[in-house]
Amino acid sequence: MITNEYHFITNWRVKGTVQEVADVLDNADDLVRWWPSVYIDVKTLKSGDERGLGKVVDLYTKGWLPYTLRWCFTVTDIRADGFTLEAHGDFEGSGKWTFTQEGEWVSIVYDWKISAEKALLRYFSFIMKPLFSANHRWAMERGEESLKLELARRHAATEQERALVPAPPPATTTSSIPLMAGMVAVFALLVGISYFGVRLIRATKS
């Protein structure tokens, strides 16, 4: 596998109905409100047809780590049990949401196959790959937590009950300095190991 390519499968389980989950995830512009730990700014550029097929959305996102990502997605398929999107920008690839009703619960699977095209992730993938993977897992964990809270707000019978539902996890304010310092240190270590390895090989041959 090319080092900047990723395949993530995320599993969520929330109390509600498939229609409720679909309604929440379909409203892209509302992601900033209920999933603020990841979505900084979202704008729908094209609404698509009456079902939302062909919808184009512009996104500005981040996770726990300090880098941000700008990308767009286009809804390419809508099914009774979910939808599929194609991503472009700092991400290139596809994501497939699938919803399954299991009694009063909904099982949610997100199948995300992408290549990371942002320069930091592409050209430093030998360092960033495990960090990017961990960052994605963190973001999706916050997503499940935030979706549960959003559904709880929707299920609240009164305004007083709704007010008792906690706010979703906020965005992090992690500094980029430790990350960049760590990357420089690892890069210098790898260069040093390579340099001394070459010298050792030459010495043994002479």
Side-chain angles (χ1 to χ4, degrees), residues 141-160:
E141 287 169 0
R142 300 293 78 73
E144 182 179 21
E145 182 181 356
S146 297
L147 179 58
K148 287 178 178 178
L149 293 170
E150 175 62 16
L151 292 172
R153 279 187 287 273
R154 293 181 178 225
H155 294 163
T158 65
E159 285 298 326
Q160 291 78 6

Side-chain angles (χ1 to χ4, degrees), residues 11-193:
N11 293 278
W12 293 349
R13 184 174 171 81
V14 299
K15 194 170 185 178
T17 67
V18 165
Q19 188 59 57
E20 286 175 327
V21 170
D23 288 345
V24 173
L25 292 176
D26 180 62
N27 187 358
D29 292 338
D30 205 29
L31 287 165
V32 174
R33 179 186 62 79
W34 69 265
W35 196 347
S37 55
V38 170
Y39 291 92
I40 301 170
D41 188 42
V42 179
K43 293 183 176 67
T44 298
L45 304 181
K46 294 181 181 179
S47 58
D49 66 12
E50 65 279 0
R51 296 186 302 149
L53 187 64
K55 178 193 296 184
V56 179
V57 179
D58 180 73
L59 309 104
Y60 182 42
T61 62
K62 74 179 297 293
W64 177 74
L65 292 175
Y67 62 80
T68 57
L69 297 162
R70 287 195 176 276
W71 54 293
C72 291
F73 74 71
T74 302
V75 177
T76 56
D77 183 41
I78 297 177
R79 312 174 309 279
D81 66 343
F83 61 93
T84 302
L85 58 88
E86 293 291 332
H88 305 282
D90 287 342
F91 293 138
E92 295 284 340
S94 64
K96 182 179 180 181
W97 289 98
T98 303
F99 316 132
T100 304
Q101 194 72 50
E102 297 176 350
E104 61 181 3
W105 296 84
V106 180
S107 175
I108 303 170
V109 179
Y110 187 50
D111 191 335
W112 189 220
K113 297 178 182 178
I114 56 165
S115 61
E117 300 301 325
K118 186 179 179 73
L120 174 67
L121 303 178
R122 182 176 179 85
Y123 297 112
F124 290 92
S125 58
F126 62 97
I127 298 174
M128 292 299 296
K129 193 173 184 72
L131 295 176
F132 180 74
S133 298
N135 199 46
H136 173 79
R137 288 191 295 271
W138 179 91
M140 296 307 287
E141 287 169 0
R142 300 293 78 73
E144 182 179 21
E145 182 181 356
S146 297
L147 179 58
K148 287 178 178 178
L149 293 170
E150 175 62 16
L151 292 172
R153 279 187 287 273
R154 293 181 178 225
H155 294 163
T158 65
E159 285 298 326
Q160 291 78 6
E161 185 178 333
R162 186 173 295 110
L164 294 175
V165 178
T172 62
T173 56
T174 310
S175 170
S176 62
I177 295 175
L179 175 64
M180 298 308 297
M183 287 179 58
V184 170
V186 171
F187 183 71
L189 178 62
L190 292 174
V191 170
I193 291 173

